[in-house]
Amino acid sequence: MYYNYHGIIKKKIKNGLLTKVEFKREYHGIKNATLLFFNDGSSYPIREERIPEYLELLELFKLKK
């Protein structure tokens, strides 16, 4: 079974479910991770190299806040 990790996260951001963003130097072995928290209680770490594809969505989140 395929789990579209980044697709699910991006969909949640677009649907306005993002509540908080944290930047960590290390998170469970992931260096320079960005943690995204959602109103359903879930959180997802994003690796540093994947952040550029999230910047536009995170900017939208900031504007809605």
Side-chain angles (χ1 to χ4, degrees), residues 18 21 55-65:
L18 184 65
V21 178
L55 290 178
E56 186 177 332
L57 291 172
L58 293 175
E59 195 63 31
L60 289 174
F61 164 72
K62 191 169 82 174
L63 293 174
K64 289 181 181 179
K65 219 173 158 190

Side-chain angles (χ1 to χ4, degrees), residues 2-16:
Y2 178 71
Y3 182 73
N4 188 355
Y5 185 82
H6 294 283
I8 290 169
I9 296 167
K10 289 175 183 179
K11 185 176 180 180
K12 285 184 173 195
I13 295 170
K14 288 176 184 175
N15 288 336

